[in-house]
Amino acid sequence: MKARSYAIPLEPYGKARPRVTHRLVKGKVYSSAHMPKGYTQWKADAAWFIRDKTPLDGPLFMQIELIKRRPKSVGKSHADCERLRGSDELCYRTTTPDADNAAGTVMDLLQELGVIRNDSQIAWLSARSLYAPKGEAGRVLVQLVPLRDAPELR
């Protein structure tokens, strides 16, 4: 099996938690759970950019770059970006969504599309949270590599 790469031209979106509601109707309590609209909409939009949906087997290495559009100004908490003010380079981001939450959203998407059986297949995860170069849009870049086919990664 070969490595797969996916480019999703959308801003990263953090993994959502189900929203639970309770209603009392004629003395009975009814509970329901749903995911927030933004989360389900992001996954529906991102699904259009996942072309090869052939299932991958075995343990996988997943490298993901979560790139958000660079804000017009960066605060003091973004020292790396401050150093690169006006630069056309990527810089590390320490704002929400967290890298692990955004990676979780992508893993959920890949599982729903049947690319992976379960996110437990991701034996090795590398995630970087970045701001895009000035003037570029946000995006999510994903690479999946079967570990049995990549002895250099073991």
Side-chain angles (χ1 to χ4, degrees), residues 3-4 24-25 35 53 55 58 80-81 83-84 88-89 97 101 109 111-112 119 121 124-126 133 144 154:
R4 295 221 194 123
L24 183 62
V25 178
M35 298 302 279
K53 296 178 182 150
D80 184 50
C81 286
R83 180 180 58 79
L84 298 172
D88 289 335
E89 296 179 43
N101 283 340
L109 170 67
Q111 184 173 331
E112 285 179 19
D119 58 8
Q121 275 184 268
W124 184 358
L125 173 65
S126 172
L144 292 170
R154 292 182 190 194

Side-chain angles (χ1 to χ4, degrees), residues 60-97:
L60 301 170
F61 167 68
M62 179 177 178
Q63 180 178 339
I64 184 165
E65 290 190 354
L66 306 153
I67 304 167
K68 282 191 84 164
R69 180 181 335 200
R70 188 180 298 217
K72 290 182 181 178
S73 64
V74 291
K76 291 181 182 178
S77 64
H78 297 89
D80 184 50
C81 286
E82 186 65 29
R83 180 180 58 79
L84 298 172
R85 184 186 300 239
S87 168
D88 289 335
E89 296 179 43
L90 290 166
C91 64
Y92 290 101
R93 181 175 59 81
T94 57
T95 59
T96 58

Side-chain angles (χ1 to χ4, degrees), residues 81-147:
C81 286
E82 186 65 29
R83 180 180 58 79
L84 298 172
R85 184 186 300 239
S87 168
D88 289 335
E89 296 179 43
L90 290 166
C91 64
Y92 290 101
R93 181 175 59 81
T94 57
T95 59
T96 58
D98 302 347
D100 58 333
N101 283 340
T105 301
V106 174
M107 286 189 276
D108 288 349
L109 170 67
L110 295 174
Q111 184 173 331
E112 285 179 19
L113 294 176
V115 176
I116 59 176
R117 276 188 331 280
N118 192 299
D119 58 8
S120 64
Q121 275 184 268
I122 309 299
W124 184 358
L125 173 65
S126 172
R128 294 193 321 159
S129 187
L130 305 160
Y131 279 124
K134 195 171 185 178
E136 287 188 20
R139 58 198 176 277
V140 177
L141 305 174
V142 181
Q143 184 175 25
L144 292 170
V145 181
L147 287 171

Side-chain angles (χ1 to χ4, degrees), residues 27-47:
K28 290 188 177 182
V29 176
Y30 294 91
S31 298
S32 63
H34 68 279
M35 298 302 279
K37 280 185 182 177
Y39 173 78
T40 53
Q41 186 62 52
W42 188 93
K43 289 196 313 181
D45 293 344

